[in-house]
Amino acid sequence: MCDKEWNTDLLADKVVTEHGDFAAYYAVNLEENGEGISSIPVTVSLMNEWGVSAEQIQADAMVADRKRGVTLMDMNEIIKSTIFGEEPENLLNEKMDMEAMENPMFCLTNKAKMNGASLLLQEDIRKQIGECLGSDYFVIPSSIHEVLILPDNGIFQVPELNAMVKEVNETQVEREEQLSDKVQFCDGKTAVMENAERREARLEKAKEAEKTAVKKEAKGGIHGKLEKAKAEIKAKEAEKVPKNKSKDLATAL
């Protein structure tokens, strides 16, 4: 998985599927060890030689990705594991109490911790994370190997998160391992993921439109009442006998 805007040259001849801000491209792994992965990228010409579709390649790759093991780990436990050497617990099937946790932050990756960010593209995994957290959440594109998960508990602001990702990318992540600088927001129930900044702009626009509609409705309501009051006054005046006619009537009597 990669940022599609950053990798137009890389993706030019590859089999690619787009997922919001991200693009997925595919490879056949020849060898994998602690030092890295030896692989052959799946190009469009290779796909045509195989006689298969991009959809089939994507489906097969997602199955293979899951077989490499899906892990969701507490970042605090990961830090401890570097000191004590104990493997952090996989929390993907747990329902956690966010209020009881201090600075909750989680890491989604695979057991090998290599090219694990692509697991984020699987809808059922995103939904499972939402069930674990019991809330919506932000996705921090840490690197191509993992993404960080932050529950949306009202503490984090999107501009701050975007700034943090950009700073970390510039200072701590090698260019070829940078995933993106676009923070994502994921609905914990529907598993719908979208660019967090664009989501906030969309919600703000909808809020402003709603305010405008309420103002128009209120204005229309006042205008309607005034028109009704005028109509009632006119009706009452019409019922009255005009003064000049009452004089004529008095004279006649």
Side-chain angles (χ1 to χ4, degrees):
M1 188 167 75
C2 67
D3 187 306
K4 62 186 181 185
E5 291 182 350
W6 289 0
N7 295 277
T8 51
D9 292 340
L10 172 68
L11 300 173
D13 62 340
K14 309 292 192 304
V15 175
V16 176
T17 57
E18 294 190 1
H19 308 265
D21 289 323
F22 304 111
Y25 63 100
Y26 305 90
V28 178
N29 287 353
L30 302 177
E31 184 181 359
E32 182 175 331
N33 53 45
E35 296 181 359
I37 298 174
S38 174
S39 63
I40 299 174
V42 179
T43 60
V44 174
S45 60
L46 188 56
M47 175 183 69
N48 293 335
E49 281 184 35
W50 290 345
V52 297
S53 65
E55 290 77 15
Q56 185 61 56
I57 290 173
Q58 179 190 3
D60 292 345
M62 290 177 77
V63 171
D65 234 4
R66 295 184 77 95
K67 286 181 179 178
R68 300 176 74 199
V70 187
T71 61
L72 182 70
M73 298 175 288
D74 186 331
M75 281 299 297
N76 292 320
E77 295 303 315
I78 292 176
I79 294 170
K80 288 181 183 178
S81 71
T82 61
I83 301 172
F84 301 107
E86 296 179 1
E87 185 67 18
E89 180 185 0
N90 186 358
L91 303 172
L92 195 61
N93 296 313
E94 303 290 332
K95 287 193 176 181
M96 296 173 281
D97 183 2
M98 293 295 101
E99 293 184 0
M101 300 182 72
E102 185 177 356
N103 300 323
M105 180 184 294
F106 307 91
C107 175
L108 174 69
T109 185
N110 54 39
K111 287 185 177 179
K113 300 180 180 63
M114 298 181 71
N115 293 330
S118 56
L119 290 167
L120 183 67
L121 302 182
Q122 308 211 27
E123 182 179 343
D124 61 329
I125 291 177
R126 297 197 304 269
K127 191 169 185 178
Q128 198 171 355
I129 293 171
E131 291 171 353
C132 290
L133 304 181
S135 70
D136 302 332
Y137 54 92
F138 293 105
V139 178
I140 309 300
S142 178
S143 80
I144 61 173
H145 302 300
E146 77 285 315
V147 294
L148 302 184
I149 305 295
L150 299 175
D152 180 21
N153 51 16
I155 296 175
F156 305 105
Q157 302 300 317
V158 173
E160 295 173 358
L161 293 176
N162 277 330
M164 178 187 71
V165 174
K166 288 178 181 178
E167 182 182 352
V168 172
N169 276 339
E170 290 171 0
T171 60
Q172 299 181 37
V173 184
E174 295 294 332
R175 183 64 187 90
E176 62 272 15
E177 295 193 342
Q178 290 178 19
L179 175 55
S180 176
D181 61 2
K182 303 176 181 69
V183 173
Q184 306 293 306
F185 180 91
C186 191
D187 186 299
K189 293 182 180 178
T190 65
V192 172
M193 183 175 68
E194 61 180 316
N195 180 291
E197 193 170 36
R198 287 198 293 270
R199 173 182 175 272
E200 286 207 336
R202 174 175 60 78
L203 293 178
E204 188 60 33
K205 189 176 180 180
K207 191 185 294 184
E208 289 301 319
E210 186 179 351
K211 284 181 181 178
T212 302
V214 170
K215 285 180 181 179
K216 284 183 179 179
E217 185 180 346
K219 187 177 180 181
I222 292 170
H223 180 72
K225 288 178 181 178
L226 288 173
E227 290 300 316
K228 185 179 179 182
K230 286 180 182 178
E232 289 175 352
I233 291 170
K234 285 183 180 180
K236 287 180 181 179
E237 287 179 348
E239 291 175 359
K240 293 178 181 178
V241 179
K243 288 182 179 178
N244 57 344
K245 295 225 173 157
S246 18
K247 284 181 182 177
D248 294 340
L249 181 58
T251 303
L253 290 173

